[in-house]
Amino acid sequence: MSNALKAKELLIRAVECDQNARILEAQTLYTEGIAQLMQFVNGEPDETKRKGFLIRIKEYMDRADAIKARVNGKLMLGEVVSHVSINENDTGFDYDQLFGKYMDDKTVEIMLEEPYMTQNYQYQNLVRFLELAATNCPNLKYFRLITKEYQDAKNPDQQRTNLGQIKGDLERRNITVAIKYEDSLHDRKIYLSNGYIIKIGRGLHFYKATNPMYSIGLVNYKFRKCLQTDVDIWRNSSAAS
Amino acid sequence: MSNALKAKELLIRAVECDQNARILEAQTLYTEGIAQLMQFVNGEPDETKRKGFLIRIKEYMDRADAIKARVNGKLMLGEVVSHVSINENDTGFDYDQLFGKYMDDKTVEIMLEEPYMTQNYQYQNLVRFLELAATNCPNLKYFRLITKEYQDAKNPDQQRTNLGQIKGDLERRNITVAIKYEDSLHDRKIYLSNGYIIKIGRGLHFYKATNPMYSIGLVNYKFRKCLQTDVDIWRNSSAAS
């Protein structure tokens, strides 16, 4: 497909998502579409045509900026709806029990900011979170993961391979996935498009390993000992919009 | 502790379990207690004393035989209460959904006949089953696993180590564990002391692996594809006794 066609397709989908309140996906699509259009314009020899395209690009950029403002607005914390302090070695907490009830059929998009995705148990925690999403959010259409890029010394492709497996699996379930690498990321956050924001100090990774391995708690994390962390759940002030 | 003291302790506990309808544990304790007493008697030089002990041993053997008859009676199949046919590649089945409701606060003893306990995923399935027991059966006191002995070529202690981890973990939760190796075992069966018997053609191991590994279904087995198997649940005819 030519750059122009790719750009057109991406931008049509961006506008569709925008109109359907799927703002995270719209944001990704505008960015990708504009980049494609830029490439095409740069290869266009006709000065007049180029100027016409640049005006179109400016329009899309304005839309993308408006979307960005909406996304940032959504990410503003509103009122606290739940606070749980987990003490070191506490048990009884799994994702479902902590925040499952906020993941519902109104959740169309999810953004997860989770800096560390480098170890097997961390990919497992991600799958565990996504299984909860697949169970509770039948209308989920878009998932964005923001994490730090990581290159394992022995297996440099490990992170991309594992996240690629997860992406491929979700896309087979008709959930679009965007993975964004941000090396300065520190805070953990889960944004749900129904207006809830879940902030856990340690993100998804607040469990201790079972010791010995084959013990109650290997699979069912309600039996796992936890690390100390706080779980705050906020309802976005513009949730109704 | 001397053989005589060990035997005494085991046989006292056997009688206690016997009186409390914990017949599986009583059976194990009678067998062990009688074996200890035999050793002691064989070392007793006084002919008269020895005869006295042999009479006692005969009494305990009679009790053990009576227990065995009760255990066998309990293992007789009664009326079918549920039948589920799982087809190849079906999804939607986890242990809880299939038979969790039969595991309850009246389940004081569980016996699991599961010939194959040799691979990591099989130990994981066992832990998954025991987590369900720990969740649903607050009064569980005794668990007996019957399986085939297995020596891994590279790691001959693997089976004993892993099952030892599970045994140690359950015993910290005040559940006594007996592991019995039977090389001729083929059929899979779960016996619950509340009178239910769960027979699954493939035992606990009727799941396909996730492919690729990091996919929905890695943790939550409701999303896993299954192998073809039948699940029959029986209610023992002497369940009320």
Side-chain angles (χ1 to χ4, degrees):
Chain A
M1 211 190 300
S2 74
N3 286 334
L5 273 177
K6 265 192 230 163
K8 193 178 167 190
E9 197 182 81
L10 288 165
L11 291 164
I12 287 171
R13 281 173 50 209
V15 172
E16 280 171 6
C17 286
D18 192 352
Q19 286 165 348
N20 290 307
R22 284 160 58 180
I23 58 174
L24 289 178
E25 188 165 6
Q27 189 182 31
T28 305
L29 291 166
Y30 276 128
T31 309
E32 289 174 3
I34 290 168
Q36 289 287 343
L37 206 53
M38 284 291 214
Q39 283 192 19
F40 171 72
V41 173
N42 290 338
E44 172 59 56
D46 185 321
E47 179 74 17
T48 321
K49 281 191 183 167
R50 213 163 60 225
K51 278 195 177 162
F53 281 122
L54 287 172
I55 290 166
R56 294 286 295 281
I57 288 176
K58 177 72 176 59
E59 285 170 17
Y60 284 120
M61 280 181 152
D62 289 345
R63 286 198 191 204
D65 279 347
I67 280 278
K68 193 177 171 187
R70 277 175 70 195
V71 169
N72 288 342
K74 289 272 190 190
L75 292 178
M76 301 269 283
L77 303 176
E79 48 163 347
V80 177
V81 294
S82 164
H83 169 84
V84 177
S85 281
I86 300 177
N87 292 316
E88 188 86 3
N89 293 324
D90 272 0
T91 58
F93 299 104
D94 65 7
Y95 299 158
D96 191 12
Q97 185 259 332
L98 278 172
F99 52 77
K101 67 175 171 179
Y102 303 105
M103 303 176 76
D104 60 16
D105 56 0
K106 294 197 181 68
T107 309
V108 178
E109 301 191 314
I110 293 178
M111 179 168 80
L112 173 67
E113 294 181 353
E114 182 59 73
Y116 298 102
M117 280 296 162
T118 66
Q119 308 295 318
N120 284 344
Y121 78 88
Q122 294 171 334
Y123 300 113
Q124 272 198 33
N125 284 343
L126 175 58
V127 171
R128 193 177 281 269
F129 171 76
L130 292 168
E131 286 175 345
L132 182 60
T135 304
N136 288 9
C137 311
N139 300 311
L140 185 64
K141 293 284 180 293
Y142 178 85
F143 172 67
R144 186 189 295 173
L145 170 68
I146 306 177
T147 192
K148 288 192 193 198
E149 193 157 21
Y150 169 74
Q151 290 220 321
D152 187 77
K154 283 188 192 161
N155 181 3
D157 293 332
Q158 180 241 79
Q159 190 186 45
R160 279 182 194 268
T161 304
N162 293 348
L163 294 180
Q165 289 186 356
I166 292 169
K167 180 178 158 81
D169 181 55
L170 290 180
E171 297 195 334
R172 275 187 294 279
R173 296 170 187 273
N174 297 315
I175 299 165
T176 304
V177 177
I179 296 169
K180 217 177 140 191
Y181 295 98
E182 260 184 36
D183 285 340
S184 60
L185 191 67
H186 172 270
D187 273 25
R188 287 80 165 164
K189 190 158 57 195
I190 303 166
Y191 158 83
L192 307 175
S193 68
N194 61 358
Y196 288 99
I197 294 170
I198 299 150
K199 293 192 79 168
I200 310 172
R202 294 181 185 266
L204 297 179
H205 313 317
F206 57 85
Y207 293 107
K208 294 191 174 185
T210 49
N211 181 17
M213 187 171 91
Y214 290 113
S215 302
I216 299 286
L218 177 66
V219 182
N220 185 339
Y221 278 18
K222 277 204 179 168
F223 290 103
R224 283 247 181 154
K225 287 185 183 165
C226 293
L227 297 161
Q228 189 282 321
T229 199
D230 283 350
V231 182
D232 291 299
I233 299 174
W234 305 74
R235 189 167 154 75
N236 183 284
S237 44
S238 65
S241 75
Chain B
M1 212 191 298
S2 74
N3 285 335
L5 272 176
K6 265 192 229 164
K8 193 179 168 189
E9 198 182 80
L10 289 164
L11 292 165
I12 288 171
R13 280 172 52 209
V15 173
E16 278 170 9
C17 285
D18 192 352
Q19 286 166 347
N20 290 308
R22 286 159 59 181
I23 57 175
L24 289 178
E25 188 166 6
Q27 190 181 31
T28 305
L29 290 167
Y30 277 127
T31 310
E32 289 173 2
I34 291 167
Q36 289 287 342
L37 206 53
M38 284 293 215
Q39 282 192 21
F40 171 74
V41 172
N42 289 338
E44 172 59 57
D46 185 321
E47 179 73 19
T48 321
K49 281 189 185 172
R50 213 162 63 226
K51 280 194 175 163
F53 281 121
L54 287 172
I55 292 167
R56 294 287 294 282
I57 288 175
K58 179 70 175 60
E59 285 170 18
Y60 283 120
M61 282 178 150
D62 289 346
R63 286 198 189 205
D65 278 348
I67 280 280
K68 195 177 171 187
R70 278 174 70 194
V71 169
N72 288 342
K74 291 272 188 188
L75 293 177
M76 300 272 282
L77 302 177
E79 49 165 345
V80 177
V81 294
S82 165
H83 170 82
V84 177
S85 280
I86 300 177
N87 291 317
E88 188 85 3
N89 292 325
D90 272 0
T91 57
F93 298 104
D94 65 6
Y95 298 158
D96 191 12
Q97 185 259 330
L98 278 172
F99 53 76
K101 68 175 170 179
Y102 303 104
M103 301 174 77
D104 61 15
D105 55 0
K106 291 196 185 67
T107 309
V108 177
E109 301 191 314
I110 294 178
M111 181 167 80
L112 174 66
E113 293 182 354
E114 182 58 74
Y116 298 103
M117 281 295 162
T118 68
Q119 309 294 317
N120 284 342
Y121 78 88
Q122 295 171 331
Y123 300 113
Q124 272 197 33
N125 285 344
L126 175 58
V127 171
R128 193 176 280 269
F129 171 76
L130 292 169
E131 287 175 343
L132 182 60
T135 303
N136 289 9
C137 311
N139 299 313
L140 185 64
K141 293 282 181 291
Y142 177 86
F143 173 65
R144 186 190 296 173
L145 170 68
I146 305 176
T147 192
K148 286 192 194 197
E149 192 156 25
Y150 170 72
Q151 289 220 322
D152 188 77
K154 282 187 193 161
N155 181 3
D157 293 332
Q158 182 240 76
Q159 189 184 47
R160 278 181 194 267
T161 303
N162 294 349
L163 294 180
Q165 289 186 356
I166 292 169
K167 180 178 159 80
D169 182 54
L170 290 181
E171 297 197 331
R172 275 187 293 278
R173 297 169 186 273
N174 296 316
I175 300 165
T176 304
V177 177
I179 297 169
K180 215 176 141 193
Y181 296 98
E182 261 184 33
D183 284 340
S184 60
L185 192 65
H186 172 270
D187 273 25
R188 287 79 165 165
K189 188 158 57 191
I190 302 167
Y191 158 82
L192 308 174
S193 68
N194 61 358
Y196 288 99
I197 294 169
I198 299 150
K199 293 191 79 168
I200 309 172
R202 292 181 187 267
L204 298 179
H205 313 316
F206 56 84
Y207 293 107
K208 294 191 172 184
T210 49
N211 180 17
M213 187 171 91
Y214 290 112
S215 302
I216 300 285
L218 177 64
V219 181
N220 185 338
Y221 278 18
K222 277 204 178 166
F223 291 102
R224 285 249 180 151
K225 287 184 183 165
C226 295
L227 297 160
Q228 189 281 323
T229 198
D230 284 349
V231 181
D232 291 299
I233 299 174
W234 306 72
R235 189 168 156 74
N236 183 283
S237 44
S238 64
S241 74

